[in-house]
Amino acid sequence: MLAATVARFSPERPLDGLEVTDRPEPTAREHWTTVEVRAASLNHHDLWSLRGVGLRAEQLPMILGTDAAGVAPDGSEVVLHGVIGADGHGVGPREHRSLLSERYPGTLAERVAVPTANLVPKPAELTFAEAACLPTAWLTAYRMLFGAAALRPGDRVLVQGAGGGVATAATVLGAAAGLEVTVTSRDESRRARALELGAAHAVATGERLPARVDAVVESVGEATWAHSVRSVRPGGVIVVCGATSGDAPPAELTRVFFSEIRVQGVTMGSRDDLAALLRFCARTGVRPVVDSEVSLADVGTGLARMAAGEQTGKIVVVP
């Protein structure tokens, strides 16, 4: 079967480590199911894997990808929950949590095997391409807003870095749920696009906000951290799911403790969270923002677009 793999690590030029080639079919194992992939989507996790983060040389070649939707052997349409080992299903209780493409082959392939418990029914209202956008970035945004930050309609939220997968998802989901969403970006066109997607305010990165917010969705890291700390109200929360610009900013500890700011990390979400997100999209008409589609054979083009930060929303891969 055709698959996109990490063939070698390339920290400075991650795409140099990418190979799209034939790979063996998934191995049958008890309590796992092999799914025909109809659509997958890209995440920054794929670029980090190509750089060598989270993988060892002896694991190569490793098939990339954490997101997919497809068809199970019984003909049912499913969405894959990409977190493996969080509750022991299919792997045993002592295995540490991982994501697809970290310990087990990922979704950028014609077929992928996952624990059967990780299959979530795909609502008929969503296309395969739309559903494939949800399990990582959109699930993470959903949990950040409504789980970790526990936001309610009317609350204010700052979303740093408009255009990225998590940021776009948080903007759309937050607006649909009645939050007052403010986004930041250095790029004027991205700010304009965020307003079209439902943001109430869009400001340049680092610019003063109309009002302090109850929560910050932080996926950028070093470049925006000081602004996040200054922008959240006393007693508010900064929810962190990534650090694309660097993970070691000055901590701003004085402001953190004096203002009693809570910092909460999030990595994706549970199967129940994913099922709830799918219902939310099906019932409200909210749909993931698809930046573009590429074929599996041309996945390098999509990865290059993401690495350059040119996308708004998700890049979908169709086998």
Side-chain angles (χ1 to χ4, degrees):
M1 68 173 183
L2 192 65
T5 69
V6 185
R8 66 196 68 84
F9 299 140
S10 183
E12 301 302 322
R13 296 169 56 91
L15 289 169
D16 288 353
L18 174 70
E19 286 188 4
V20 182
T21 185
D22 285 329
R23 294 296 302 155
E25 294 286 340
T27 302
R29 54 188 295 175
E30 189 177 15
H31 305 307
W32 285 56
T33 297
T34 296
V35 173
E36 291 279 345
V37 176
R38 294 292 176 84
S41 67
L42 301 181
N43 294 282
H44 278 279
H45 184 275
D46 303 314
L47 293 173
W48 287 114
S49 296
L50 288 162
R51 293 185 177 104
V53 177
L55 290 172
R56 303 182 306 278
E58 57 266 29
Q59 294 178 277
L60 303 186
M62 173 62 78
I63 298 175
L64 289 164
T66 60
D67 289 356
V71 179
D74 64 1
S76 59
E77 298 180 352
V78 295
V79 183
L80 276 58
H81 182 235
V83 182
I84 309 297
D87 49 17
H89 281 284
V91 298
R94 290 188 173 85
E95 182 166 315
H96 295 301
R97 180 188 67 178
S98 66
L99 306 182
L100 284 172
S101 76
E102 291 180 347
R103 185 175 289 123
Y104 300 100
T107 60
L108 295 185
E110 294 177 308
R111 285 166 289 284
V112 61
V114 297
T116 304
N118 283 45
L119 302 181
V120 179
K122 181 184 80 65
E125 293 89 344
L126 273 67
T127 67
F128 284 108
E130 290 166 343
C133 295
L134 298 178
T136 296
W138 279 68
L139 177 59
T140 299
Y142 182 88
R143 187 173 169 215
M144 291 173 86
L145 293 172
F146 309 122
L151 293 173
R152 299 173 297 177
D155 285 346
R156 295 186 172 107
V157 61
L158 169 63
V159 179
Q160 296 281 20
V166 170
T168 301
T171 301
V172 174
L173 290 170
L179 305 181
E180 183 180 322
V181 181
T182 300
V183 302
T184 68
S185 178
R186 296 187 300 270
D187 187 292
E188 184 177 354
S189 65
R190 286 191 167 195
R191 296 197 298 272
R193 177 60 172 148
L195 292 171
E196 292 174 358
L197 294 174
H201 313 284
V203 302
T205 302
E207 188 175 295
R208 187 181 183 89
L209 304 189
R212 287 193 177 183
V213 297
D214 301 291
V216 180
V217 170
E218 175 62 84
S219 62
V220 179
E222 193 165 322
T224 56
W225 181 256
H227 184 246
S228 293
V229 174
R230 293 196 306 271
S231 299
V232 71
R233 66 167 172 78
V237 57
I238 302 173
V239 190
V240 184
C241 70
T244 56
S245 68
D247 65 355
E252 305 273 352
L253 288 179
T254 299
R255 192 180 292 269
V256 169
F257 72 71
F258 188 77
S259 297
E260 297 187 339
I261 296 168
R262 179 164 61 92
V263 178
Q264 173 70 53
V266 165
T267 299
M268 296 175 65
S270 68
R271 284 192 307 278
D272 288 343
D273 291 331
L274 178 57
L277 170 59
L278 288 162
R279 292 194 301 270
F280 183 93
C281 291
R283 291 175 181 175
T284 62
V286 166
R287 296 293 182 268
V289 179
V290 176
D291 174 85
S292 54
E293 289 192 12
V294 297
S295 68
L296 179 57
D298 193 34
V299 69
T301 299
L303 286 166
R305 181 171 175 79
M306 186 170 63
E310 296 171 346
Q311 88 287 359
T312 294
K314 298 291 289 178
I315 299 172
V316 172
V317 181
V318 181

